[in-house]
């Protein structure tokens, strides 16, 4: 077991991992990053050789440029409001170069096990070209930043489908579906993006939704919708719920009643869920390029029956049904995330049960993730530097329970909201902790 190495380990070199690396470096802390692929970028790198990127060729961000960026490294103004994944990747490459992150990363290195060493430290086992048989190193702190959008969640519909069936995670281009009859299951951002991408190439595209979703355009009155949200919440300092209620009214003035297009409206108000962001979905439905279907009832070989009693023939099904949150290198007894249960993480980062184990980016905000992860990284750097003191275990458990009660009160009862945070409230908590630490 090697001992001549930094005492902090970061797992993953995506947008969360490189933000954590930059924050630790600026505090003068010694660390190393393990990255399964051959370069940085994680989910944003198209055809990433780490094997877990879900980026498809037509992917553009749903958060506008100014709300996506790290606070001290602006995205260039010449880029569009909603950059492509290639442009986001160029930005991340530039960020890593600006802050000297790559020399700290061990590429093509897969972490296979993270376990307590029994003395307050952690043993991390990994495979790499240099150590094909595996090596174990000991650290005082492990920062898990490998992302949570890779372990595919599949529905359990009765029956058998004889055509092609893939998860949206595997979707790259519309080419394999040329002139095919395709069903996309789901109505989240990936589902509608893929349906729009397919509809001019496939013979037909149907979108199956269990309970509908609020569909929000990317632009309202020519301005990115999330900039309206930022204006109401940051400039006018309105509560998040009020901000989203106003956006809902503006959205209605822009696109009208979505039920008229055939997209069912959820029974709950928009502020209780993540809206689906799409500028094209409703017009494409209106033009007949996409048809909305209810939930799947049964797979019947080359046909599918829906809950309204209708049946349709299909050549392919794409399941855009989300992800489970899992960590194959962690024993569930050490840490796991269970659907509809509060993850035992103080401030959504610090393991209460196992000191020294931290998580970066294990959140699902209404709003951009990258700037929130940047704040998390600075908070953790302050903690590891000794500038922030953790409260007692009982106080941390109380904070977790309080946060979970708020999640249950505010959002619909769905596994999708297990990692939910309110961007503004959460950022305010972390900023307050860091301010108090500075005296």
């Amino acid at each position: 077991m090697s001992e001549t190495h930094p005492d902090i380990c970061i797992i993953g070199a995506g947008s969360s991992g490189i933000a954590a690396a930059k924050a630790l470096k600026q505090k003068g802390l010694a660390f190393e990053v393990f990255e399964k692929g051959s370069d940085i970028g994680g989910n944003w790198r198209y055809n990433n050789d780490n094997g877990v990127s879900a980026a498809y060729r037509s992917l553009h961000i749903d958060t506008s440029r100014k709300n996506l960026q790290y606070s001290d490294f602006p995205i260039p103004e010449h880029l569009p409001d909603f950059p492509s994944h290639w442009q986001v990747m160029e930005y991340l490459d530039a960020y890593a170069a600006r802050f000297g992150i790559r020399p700290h990363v061990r590429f093509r290195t897969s972490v296979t096990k993270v376990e307590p060493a029994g003395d307050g430290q952690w043993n991390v086992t990994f495979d790499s070209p240099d150590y094909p048989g595996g090596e174990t190193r000991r650290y005082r702190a492990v920062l898990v930043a490998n992302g949570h959008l890779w372990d595919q969640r599949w529905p359990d519909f009765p029956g058998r489908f004889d055509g092609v069936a893939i998860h949206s995670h595997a979707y790259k281009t519309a080419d394999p579906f040329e002139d095919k009859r395709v069903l996309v299951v789901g109505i989240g951002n990936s589902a509608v993006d893929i349906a729009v991408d397919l509809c001019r190439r496939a013979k037909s595209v149907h979108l199956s939704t269990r309970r509908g979703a609020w569909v929000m355009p990317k632009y309202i009155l020519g301005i990115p919708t999330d900039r309206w949200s930022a204006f109401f919440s940051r400039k006018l300092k309105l509560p998040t719920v009020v901000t989203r209620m106003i956006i809902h009214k503006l959205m209605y003035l822009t696109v009208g009643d979505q039920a008229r297009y055939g997209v069912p409206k959820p029974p709950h108000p928009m502020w209780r869920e993540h809206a689906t962001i799409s500028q094209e979905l409703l017009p494409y439905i209106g033009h007949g390029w996409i048809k909305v279907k209810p939930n799947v009832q049964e797979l019947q070989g080359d046909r599918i029956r829906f809950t309204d009693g209708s049946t349709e023939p299909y050549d392919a099904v794409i399941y855009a049904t989300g992800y489970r949150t899992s960590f194959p290198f962690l024993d569930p007894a050490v840490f796991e995330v269970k659907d509809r249960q509060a993850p035992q993480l103080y401030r959504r980062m610090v393991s209460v049960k196992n000191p020294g184990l931290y998580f970066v980016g294990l959140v699902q905000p209404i709003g951009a993730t990258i700037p929130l992860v940047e704040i998390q990284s600075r908070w953790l750097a302050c903690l590891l530097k000794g500038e922030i003191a953790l409260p007692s275990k009982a106080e941390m458990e109380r904070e977790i329970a309080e946060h979970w009660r708020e999640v249950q009160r505010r959002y619909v009862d769905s596994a999708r909201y297990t990692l939910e945070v309110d961007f503004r409230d959460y950022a305010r908590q972390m900023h307050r902790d860091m301010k108090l630490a500075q005296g």
Side-chain angles (χ1 to χ4, degrees), residues 169-349:
H169 189 88
Y171 179 84
K172 296 302 178 184
T173 73
D175 296 352
F177 305 95
E178 181 82 37
D179 206 32
K180 303 291 186 184
R181 298 164 298 184
V182 184
L183 176 68
V184 179
V185 178
I187 197 169
N189 290 336
S190 295
V192 302
D193 275 1
I194 290 170
V196 167
D197 193 40
L198 283 169
C199 68
R200 289 185 179 272
R201 300 282 300 278
K203 183 176 183 178
S204 66
V205 174
H206 294 174
L207 188 68
S208 169
T209 171
R210 184 173 71 249
R211 63 183 180 191
W214 292 110
V215 179
M216 182 187 295
K218 285 189 171 183
Y219 289 93
I220 292 176
L221 300 177
I223 297 172
T225 302
D226 63 351
R227 293 188 194 173
W228 285 105
S229 297
F231 171 77
F232 292 127
S233 63
R234 298 176 195 170
K235 297 294 184 181
L236 300 186
K237 301 188 184 305
L238 298 177
T240 300
V241 170
V242 175
T243 293
R244 301 202 76 209
M245 290 172 67
I246 294 172
I247 292 297
H248 189 192
K249 298 297 184 183
L250 291 174
M251 182 179 82
Y252 188 88
L253 291 174
T254 301
V255 301
D257 184 355
Q258 68 180 49
R260 185 182 177 280
Y261 297 85
V263 180
K265 291 186 290 188
H268 48 264
M270 193 182 76
W271 57 265
R272 295 204 66 206
E273 70 162 26
H274 277 264
T276 294
I277 312 297
S278 178
Q279 194 73 22
E280 300 101 339
L281 178 65
L282 298 181
Y284 274 56
I285 293 172
H287 283 82
W289 289 95
I290 299 170
K291 182 179 179 180
V292 178
K293 300 291 290 183
N295 196 29
V296 171
Q297 184 177 68
E298 185 182 10
L299 308 176
Q300 300 178 334
D302 63 347
R303 302 181 70 86
I304 293 178
R305 177 181 291 277
F306 297 92
T307 53
D308 64 356
S310 64
T311 62
E312 300 278 358
Y314 295 102
D315 302 299
V317 178
I318 300 174
Y319 292 104
T321 46
Y323 299 88
R324 295 183 296 265
T325 303
S326 63
F327 304 93
F329 46 80
L330 282 171
D331 188 314
V334 174
F335 180 80
E336 67 175 330
V337 174
K338 296 181 179 180
D339 290 345
R340 296 182 174 89
Q341 294 185 30
Q344 294 302 294
L345 298 175
Y346 173 70
R347 288 287 192 259
R348 326 289 79 76
M349 293 177 281

Side-chain angles (χ1 to χ4, degrees), residues 132-152:
E135 182 188 11
T136 299
R137 293 185 175 185
R138 184 164 294 182
Y139 301 90
R140 73 176 175 100
V142 176
L143 278 61
V144 179
N146 67 316
H148 58 274
L149 300 177
W150 63 271
D151 188 0
Q152 302 158 29

Side-chain angles (χ1 to χ4, degrees), residues 358-390:
Y358 309 99
F359 292 80
V360 189
L362 192 60
V363 290
Q364 181 70 41
I366 291 178
T369 302
I370 283 179
L372 198 59
V373 164
E374 180 193 12
I375 303 170
Q376 282 189 323
S377 299
R378 288 164 43 212
W379 191 98
L380 283 169
C382 289
L383 177 69
L384 293 169
K385 188 70 173 178
E387 298 170 357
I388 289 178
L390 292 176

Side-chain angles (χ1 to χ4, degrees), residues 21-43:
K22 180 250 190 183
L24 297 185
K25 185 173 183 177
Q26 290 185 328
K27 285 291 184 182
L29 296 165
F31 65 92
E32 57 186 345
V33 184
F34 293 153
E35 167 54 44
K36 186 177 182 180
S38 59
D39 211 336
I40 69 161
N43 219 24

